[in-house]
Amino acid sequence: MQLTPTQDILPVTAFKKNAKAVMRQVRRTGRPVVLTVHGKADTMLVDARQYEQMKHDYELLKDLVEAEQEIANGRYVKPKDLLKD
C-alpha cells in the first residue's frame, strides 16, 4: 500500500468537492488517501475490504506476540505432554 503524494494527499476541501471520484480512486488503486486540514495529515480514507484485511492481520499479529510472550515466560505445554493427557 504505497502512497503517491500527488494523487493520494488531499486537502479536506478538495475531498468535499470530489468525494465520489476520490472514493472511486481508493477502490480502483487500493491506495489510501490522506486528507489534510491546514496542511497537516488528519484522516485516512481506505477501501473497506482493505481495512477489514488490515484489522484481521493486526489481530493475528497481536495473538502471535501474546503467544511469544507466553512461551518466553515458560507458560506453555510441550506437544509430547499434550499427547499424554
Side-chain angles (χ1 to χ4, degrees):
M1 183 172 22
Q2 186 174 348
L3 288 174
T4 303
T6 59
Q7 297 173 349
D8 301 336
I9 300 175
L10 294 174
V12 72
T13 53
F15 173 70
K16 288 178 183 178
K17 291 178 186 175
N18 303 300
K20 287 183 181 182
V22 174
M23 292 167 66
R24 262 193 312 275
Q25 172 188 323
V26 170
R27 284 191 302 271
R28 182 178 47 80
T29 65
R31 295 188 320 256
V33 168
V34 178
L35 301 178
T36 62
V37 176
H38 303 297
K40 294 184 180 182
D42 183 77
T43 305
M44 288 190 76
L45 183 64
V46 298
D47 178 74
R49 281 183 230 109
Q50 247 185 328
Y51 173 78
E52 288 173 353
Q53 185 63 51
M54 288 186 316
K55 186 176 176 190
H56 174 267
D57 294 348
Y58 172 75
E59 293 298 326
L60 181 59
L61 285 172
K62 259 180 44 178
D63 290 344
L64 289 172
V65 167
E66 185 179 323
E68 286 180 342
Q69 289 171 343
E70 294 288 316
I71 291 168
N73 292 325
R75 293 191 299 264
Y76 64 94
V77 177
K78 293 179 182 177
K80 66 179 181 177
D81 294 339
L82 281 173
L83 297 175
K84 289 180 185 177
D85 293 338

